[in-house]
Amino acid sequence: MVSAVHAWSERLAQNGAQFTGSIIRDLLRLTERPEVISLAGGLPAPECFPAEELTMAAEGILAREPLAALQYGLTEGYRPLRALVIERMKARLAIDVAQEQVLITSGSQQGLDLLGRLFLTSGTLVAVEDPTYLGALQAWHPCAPRYVTVPVDEDGLNVDALERMLADGVRPQFLYIMSCFQNPTGITLSHERRRALVEVVSKYGLPIVEDDAYGELYYGEERPLPVASMDMEMHGELRHVVYLSSFSKVLAPGLRVGWMAAPEELISKLTQVKQGVDLHTNSLSQATVYEACRDGLLDRHVPFIRSFYRTRRDVMLTALEQHMPEDVRWVRPEGGMFVWITLPPHVDSTQLFHTAIKHDVAFVPGATFYANGGGQNTMRLNFSLPTPAQIEEGITRLGQAVRDVI
Amino acid sequence: MVSAVHAWSERLAQNGAQFTGSIIRDLLRLTERPEVISLAGGLPAPECFPAEELTMAAEGILAREPLAALQYGLTEGYRPLRALVIERMKARLAIDVAQEQVLITSGSQQGLDLLGRLFLTSGTLVAVEDPTYLGALQAWHPCAPRYVTVPVDEDGLNVDALERMLADGVRPQFLYIMSCFQNPTGITLSHERRRALVEVVSKYGLPIVEDDAYGELYYGEERPLPVASMDMEMHGELRHVVYLSSFSKVLAPGLRVGWMAAPEELISKLTQVKQGVDLHTNSLSQATVYEACRDGLLDRHVPFIRSFYRTRRDVMLTALEQHMPEDVRWVRPEGGMFVWITLPPHVDSTQLFHTAIKHDVAFVPGATFYANGGGQNTMRLNFSLPTPAQIEEGITRLGQAVRDVI
């Protein structure tokens, strides 16, 4: 008789077999002791969830229109929510699309997954920022693409480097960027580079996947307009960009409601893929989000979130100035949830991690976010979840750990 | 300048490019006229949603433990819900598994998708019932597997045919079955065949994916025990079977909460895939389901659902006897939502569909459910959503349509 565990495991598709417990998961297990201050996470602060409004919204929709929350729904998404998303994109971002150009997704993470399914197969090439969002690499892992990386500086993606790459004949399936307050670096693509980027991709016909999950979390005066807006401005339509966003950072991530906007033909294909994947995004969350937002909750609530996180960012930046040795550098993010640290070249942040754990503070070693390796001397710090007191104490401890290893 | 629609579409992965508007979707568009009685759907009746209890549960969990409903959660699923699922499987189905063997999914549909990701690549072989669940074929379409079909009669899968196939050296990645009240046929695998099936797969080391989405909707005295229970009984553990189920048919499908039980090693791999796919199933639905069920709602509510649908099934079976010509045959389902009709061999049900639409009644042509073609003279009728009066009138009209084409 054949052993069945063996029967299952010997059948794993080549890409499936490659899954192994990730290093980051193992590292984070070390942070579970209650005395450890974790700057390693990426969670929103619970204080920023409009729990009361969401409760009222869930009650309201279940009382008024229970089928909208409980019955099977359209794969494309709950119609009133799509309309709301379209209205907001138009009013706030100058992205003007039709209903057939929007797909509601189970978080923006699912948008990445669906795109992978449609465009990536084993060995196909994807261009990503260096470093990039880990969740994108995880979403595409089962497709086993190859990556070409484009360097990033404090103004974001190096568009000249991208153009040289394209001029050299490199032809990725698409370029994936997080244009605002990138996870992990907190960096924002400058206005000038956004324009240059659209020009370059227009010239070479390179599609862009723009992930704007953090876009609403700007701590300056104005929200930068997405690259998708510029695509729209230059071409009169969404032509080169697939735009992804989410309610996770402005309402609550546990709802798992995001969306994507793209050319209609592409949304139609993505909708067909999504139908096989999960039929549709859960109706209760979609209807609750719509019900909560239709009278303008976001305009009232998101300024509070921005001010809440701005304070924490400032606390972290001040603490870094006080406690970090001179040859440590960091990005001053204009939004989002993360500060990105660059240590002197000889310092390995994975080694530092173990020292830091002894000091009861945790972070994510930056090498995790590099698709093709590198970044051993970098690390990502989160300021959205820890309290100001924890941030101050955490950075104090981290400064000691850095001094220990330097 | 390169046209971007072209840029996107020329980049579709080979499998992605194959997506085209499905025939069934086009057909169903014809059923949207209000005067058409649709027996084509697969939706639960709204009267069966415990809307009040779900509203109270959502309110309760948001008030008592808002983070459980709003914050990011574990990819594996909400811990109390996993515990509840494990307890119910043990008490009702004699499936006794540990927490590490259960993964909460975004509907059982997602279970099918995750399994496809892990086990199927282009050209790999999957064994399915003939006919089989359309949603499974849709889930696996992007992986582009090949199918080998196993015939089904009124006692379910022909296990002898399966064994001959395996003895001939055919080696599918797994066998997919819906063991109870199958969609589309309503057929249930007999007790004797369940036992024989576990023996055959044990002998050949063939994994089974058992989809039990309709298992609770039995209209006889007792719920048949899943094949997974027999696997457990014969091997002392879940060895050959991955068991999928869902809250869609017993609470509400819009919540998109299902689960899978499998050997621990496999759940661990599936969890890693799911993390890249959607991070986790939405917390609000998971916590609401748990909150609604923890005091025994299912035991109070599901008997009502069974009696509600039993009536509709009986109305349909009686109407078929009254209105169908003699050479039309059908399955008398012991549960589920569907009646499966076999017309005389020369009748094409897709042609019949157009005649039926003229009579203002719709169904799904059966050929849709055959992975490798066939079944042109079959059709699927749904009795869960139409009212008894609609069922009677619908079958009357359908009888006339059948007479027209015979």
Side-chain angles (χ1 to χ4, degrees):
Chain A
M1 189 175 294
V2 182
S3 149
V5 172
H6 183 62
W8 281 111
S9 49
E10 78 181 4
R11 281 173 163 81
L12 288 174
Q14 204 185 347
N15 313 331
Q18 289 165 10
F19 277 99
T20 49
S22 77
I23 298 166
I24 195 169
R25 195 183 282 226
D26 295 342
L27 286 183
L28 294 184
R29 213 160 280 152
L30 297 173
T31 71
E32 283 169 8
R33 281 184 293 123
E35 60 273 28
V36 172
I37 292 178
S38 178
L39 308 174
L43 272 59
E47 295 90 336
C48 290
F49 302 156
E52 214 167 290
E53 288 85 348
L54 289 170
T55 306
M56 281 171 53
E59 285 172 26
I61 198 77
L62 281 162
R64 218 185 61 234
E65 221 184 323
L67 290 199
L70 299 178
Q71 186 56 287
Y72 282 118
L74 292 176
T75 303
E76 292 85 342
Y78 181 49
R79 216 179 286 268
L81 182 62
R82 287 164 81 199
L84 184 139
V85 156
I86 288 167
E87 203 185 291
R88 271 188 79 79
M89 283 194 293
K90 185 172 176 185
R92 290 182 57 81
L93 305 175
I95 300 174
D96 186 6
V97 294
Q99 183 169 273
E100 296 71 26
Q101 292 183 265
V102 171
L103 173 64
I104 303 291
T105 54
S106 303
S108 53
Q109 182 73 29
Q110 187 183 49
L112 298 173
D113 174 55
L114 297 176
L115 287 164
R117 302 287 211 108
L118 209 48
F119 290 102
L120 306 182
T121 50
S122 182
T124 52
L125 204 61
V126 185
V128 295
E129 293 170 294
D130 206 31
T132 189
Y133 170 52
L134 179 60
L137 302 179
Q138 289 176 323
W140 299 328
H141 181 89
C143 308
R146 288 174 304 127
Y147 292 100
V148 56
T149 59
V150 185
V152 165
D153 61 28
E154 296 220 350
D155 287 328
L157 187 89
N158 184 328
V159 177
D160 291 339
L162 174 71
E163 178 155 28
R164 279 194 301 276
M165 187 188 90
L166 293 167
D168 283 349
V170 178
R171 287 289 175 272
Q173 287 286 76
F174 55 78
L175 166 69
Y176 169 67
I177 57 166
M178 201 177 271
S179 50
C180 278
F181 330 127
Q182 193 223 30
N183 179 355
T185 64
I187 286 170
T188 297
L189 189 64
S190 72
H191 186 81
E192 296 67 34
R193 289 213 186 154
R194 283 169 197 247
R195 185 162 293 278
L197 177 59
V198 176
E199 279 165 9
V200 166
V201 302
S202 300
K203 184 170 161 192
Y204 289 93
L206 174 70
I208 293 181
V209 173
E210 180 179 32
D211 183 345
D212 199 23
Y214 297 92
E216 286 279 12
L217 303 184
Y218 58 93
Y219 310 140
E221 289 301 305
E222 271 192 23
R223 176 174 183 174
L225 281 184
V227 175
S229 318
M230 268 181 210
D231 184 26
M232 192 115 218
E233 187 193 321
M234 288 172 66
H235 301 106
E237 61 175 7
L238 207 54
R239 187 178 289 182
H240 297 281
V241 180
V242 168
Y243 178 78
L244 306 180
S245 194
S246 163
F247 289 96
S248 291
K249 308 301 185 286
V250 293
L251 288 179
L255 300 170
R256 311 303 308 121
V257 180
W259 75 88
M260 55 202 304
E264 181 180 342
E265 183 199 7
L266 189 52
I267 290 293
S268 159
K269 296 269 183 197
L270 290 163
T271 304
Q272 288 172 54
V273 178
K274 181 169 164 66
Q275 188 173 21
V277 161
D278 64 0
L279 301 183
H280 62 87
T281 295
N282 88 92
S283 310
L284 177 59
S285 284
Q286 287 191 78
T288 298
V289 167
Y290 168 71
E291 185 72 10
C293 295
R294 69 195 181 102
D295 72 339
L297 171 64
L298 292 177
D299 294 334
R300 297 192 302 277
H301 181 65
V302 181
F304 163 77
I305 301 180
R306 285 195 276 266
S307 127
F308 187 93
Y309 289 146
R310 186 192 295 116
T311 303
R312 294 188 172 191
R313 175 202 61 175
D314 292 343
V315 169
M316 183 170 277
L317 292 175
T318 304
L320 285 166
E321 275 157 27
Q322 288 171 343
H323 299 290
M324 280 295 151
E326 269 202 358
D327 40 2
V328 174
R329 291 177 295 114
W330 54 89
V331 174
R332 300 182 65 88
E334 290 160 30
M337 301 184 162
F338 305 106
V339 170
W340 182 250
I341 310 266
T342 304
L343 299 158
H346 66 280
V347 180
D348 182 324
S349 67
T350 303
Q351 283 179 357
L352 173 64
F353 179 88
H354 293 283
T355 308
I357 284 293
K358 286 179 197 148
H359 286 277
D360 291 333
V361 62
F363 58 85
V364 181
T368 317
F369 305 101
Y370 287 78
N372 291 337
Q376 277 80 5
N377 63 325
T378 60
M379 55 187 182
R380 189 192 76 176
L381 306 184
N382 169 259
F383 58 79
S384 60
L385 190 64
T387 63
Q390 287 171 326
I391 292 172
E392 282 194 2
E393 178 59 25
I395 297 295
T396 309
R397 296 178 189 174
L398 189 59
Q400 289 161 350
V402 171
R403 269 173 239 279
D404 284 1
V405 299
I406 282 186
Chain B
M1 187 175 294
V2 182
S3 149
V5 173
H6 182 63
W8 282 110
S9 50
E10 78 181 4
R11 281 171 163 82
L12 289 174
Q14 204 186 347
N15 313 332
Q18 289 165 10
F19 277 99
T20 50
S22 75
I23 298 166
I24 195 170
R25 194 183 284 226
D26 295 343
L27 286 184
L28 294 185
R29 213 160 280 153
L30 297 173
T31 72
E32 282 170 8
R33 280 185 294 123
E35 59 273 29
V36 171
I37 293 178
S38 179
L39 308 174
L43 270 60
E47 295 91 335
C48 291
F49 302 156
E52 214 167 290
E53 288 85 346
L54 289 169
T55 306
M56 282 171 53
E59 285 173 25
I61 198 77
L62 281 162
R64 217 185 61 233
E65 221 183 323
L67 290 199
L70 299 178
Q71 185 57 288
Y72 281 119
L74 293 175
T75 303
E76 293 85 342
Y78 182 48
R79 216 180 285 270
L81 182 61
R82 286 163 82 199
L84 184 139
V85 157
I86 288 167
E87 202 184 291
R88 271 188 79 80
M89 282 195 292
K90 186 172 176 184
R92 290 181 56 83
L93 305 175
I95 299 174
D96 186 6
V97 294
Q99 185 170 272
E100 295 72 25
Q101 291 183 267
V102 171
L103 174 64
I104 303 291
T105 54
S106 302
S108 52
Q109 182 73 26
Q110 189 183 48
L112 298 173
D113 174 55
L114 297 176
L115 287 164
R117 302 285 213 111
L118 210 47
F119 290 102
L120 305 182
T121 50
S122 181
T124 51
L125 204 60
V126 185
V128 295
E129 295 170 293
D130 206 31
T132 188
Y133 171 52
L134 179 61
L137 302 178
Q138 289 175 324
W140 299 329
H141 180 89
C143 308
R146 288 175 303 127
Y147 293 100
V148 56
T149 58
V150 185
V152 166
D153 60 30
E154 295 221 351
D155 287 327
L157 187 88
N158 184 327
V159 178
D160 290 340
L162 174 70
E163 180 156 27
R164 279 195 300 278
M165 188 188 88
L166 294 167
D168 282 350
V170 178
R171 287 290 175 270
Q173 286 287 75
F174 55 77
L175 166 68
Y176 170 67
I177 55 167
M178 201 176 271
S179 50
C180 279
F181 330 127
Q182 192 222 30
N183 180 353
T185 63
I187 287 170
T188 297
L189 189 63
S190 72
H191 186 81
E192 296 66 34
R193 289 213 186 154
R194 282 170 197 247
R195 184 164 293 279
L197 177 60
V198 177
E199 279 165 8
V200 166
V201 301
S202 301
K203 182 169 163 191
Y204 289 93
L206 174 70
I208 293 181
V209 173
E210 180 180 31
D211 182 345
D212 200 23
Y214 297 91
E216 286 278 14
L217 302 185
Y218 57 93
Y219 309 139
E221 289 301 305
E222 271 191 24
R223 176 173 182 174
L225 281 185
V227 175
S229 317
M230 270 182 208
D231 184 26
M232 192 115 219
E233 188 192 321
M234 287 172 67
H235 301 105
E237 61 175 7
L238 208 54
R239 187 178 289 182
H240 297 281
V241 180
V242 168
Y243 178 79
L244 306 181
S245 192
S246 163
F247 288 96
S248 291
K249 309 300 185 287
V250 293
L251 288 178
L255 301 169
R256 311 302 309 123
V257 180
W259 73 90
M260 54 203 303
E264 181 180 342
E265 183 200 7
L266 189 52
I267 289 293
S268 160
K269 296 269 183 196
L270 290 162
T271 304
Q272 288 173 55
V273 178
K274 180 169 164 68
Q275 188 173 22
V277 161
D278 65 0
L279 301 183
H280 61 85
T281 295
N282 88 92
S283 309
L284 177 59
S285 284
Q286 288 192 75
T288 299
V289 167
Y290 169 71
E291 186 72 10
C293 294
R294 70 195 181 101
D295 71 340
L297 171 64
L298 292 177
D299 294 335
R300 295 192 304 275
H301 182 65
V302 181
F304 163 77
I305 300 180
R306 284 195 278 265
S307 126
F308 187 93
Y309 289 145
R310 186 191 295 117
T311 303
R312 293 187 173 192
R313 175 201 63 176
D314 292 344
V315 168
M316 183 171 275
L317 291 176
T318 304
L320 284 167
E321 275 157 28
Q322 288 171 343
H323 299 289
M324 280 295 150
E326 267 203 358
D327 41 2
V328 174
R329 289 177 296 114
W330 55 89
V331 174
R332 299 182 67 87
E334 290 160 31
M337 299 185 162
F338 304 106
V339 169
W340 182 250
I341 308 266
T342 304
L343 299 158
H346 66 280
V347 181
D348 182 323
S349 67
T350 303
Q351 284 179 355
L352 173 64
F353 179 88
H354 293 283
T355 307
I357 283 292
K358 286 180 197 148
H359 285 276
D360 290 334
V361 62
F363 59 85
V364 181
T368 317
F369 305 100
Y370 286 78
N372 290 338
Q376 277 81 3
N377 63 325
T378 59
M379 55 186 181
R380 190 192 76 176
L381 307 185
N382 169 259
F383 58 79
S384 59
L385 190 64
T387 64
Q390 288 171 325
I391 292 172
E392 282 194 1
E393 177 60 25
I395 297 295
T396 308
R397 295 178 189 175
L398 188 59
Q400 289 161 350
V402 171
R403 270 173 238 280
D404 283 1
V405 300
I406 280 186

